Amino acid sequence: MSTAAAGRAFRRFWQSETGPRTVHFWAPTLKWGLVVAGISDMQRPVERVSGTQNLSLMATAVIWTRWSFVIRPKNYLLASVNFFLGLTASYQLARIARYRLREGDSAGEVLRYIVNGPRDPAGAAA
């Protein structure tokens, strides 16, 4: 690629409706931090991973991935970050479900655990 062609490509990117001079660029770029955090949680013991948090991350990821294609201008960067956020959150939820099923929980108990978190032994006695 010639220098002139690279300059034109950069100028087109800089002046784009979803370029670095807009929120359409910076919001999804910074949201990649959530994806990195989800990937780093793969090393965390499964009993320390929050089902509620990952359920909400997965839900927002699905909603925003779809919305990225509905809004104008279409925002492929936003769609990609939310797609990968949904993948990491879904993986964490699958880890939690596998762990709870191995511990002997029923499917309903696993769902309750994901939505409500672990039972509070102090609160159970009250």
Side-chain angles (χ1 to χ4, degrees):
M1 178 182 264
S2 72
T3 306
R8 283 191 300 274
F10 179 76
R11 191 170 21 265
R12 194 170 47 250
F13 168 67
W14 184 258
Q15 294 172 346
S16 167
E17 291 179 307
T18 58
R21 298 183 339 170
T22 68
V23 71
H24 298 289
F25 175 81
W26 289 107
T29 299
L30 296 174
K31 196 170 186 177
W32 279 103
L34 292 174
V35 176
V36 171
I39 291 170
S40 70
D41 278 351
M42 291 177 189
Q43 303 300 317
R44 182 180 291 217
V46 70
E47 56 273 2
R48 300 216 28 226
V49 176
S50 170
T52 308
Q53 175 182 324
N54 282 289
L55 187 62
S56 64
L57 286 172
M58 187 185 70
T60 60
V62 168
I63 292 166
W64 281 101
T65 300
R66 172 66 180 124
W67 184 247
S68 300
F69 295 110
V70 173
I71 60 174
R72 298 287 179 246
K74 289 182 181 175
N75 194 332
Y76 298 107
L77 182 58
L78 183 64
S80 67
V81 70
N82 281 296
F83 176 77
F84 284 103
L85 182 62
L87 286 180
T88 57
S90 297
Y91 177 78
Q92 295 295 359
L93 290 171
R95 280 182 66 207
I96 293 169
R98 266 193 319 270
Y99 171 75
R100 298 306 304 177
L101 289 170
R102 273 196 313 259
E103 291 291 309
D105 287 357
S106 69
E109 290 170 326
V110 170
L111 184 59
R112 271 191 296 282
Y113 179 85
I114 288 173
V115 172
N116 299 323
R119 276 190 243 141
D120 181 19

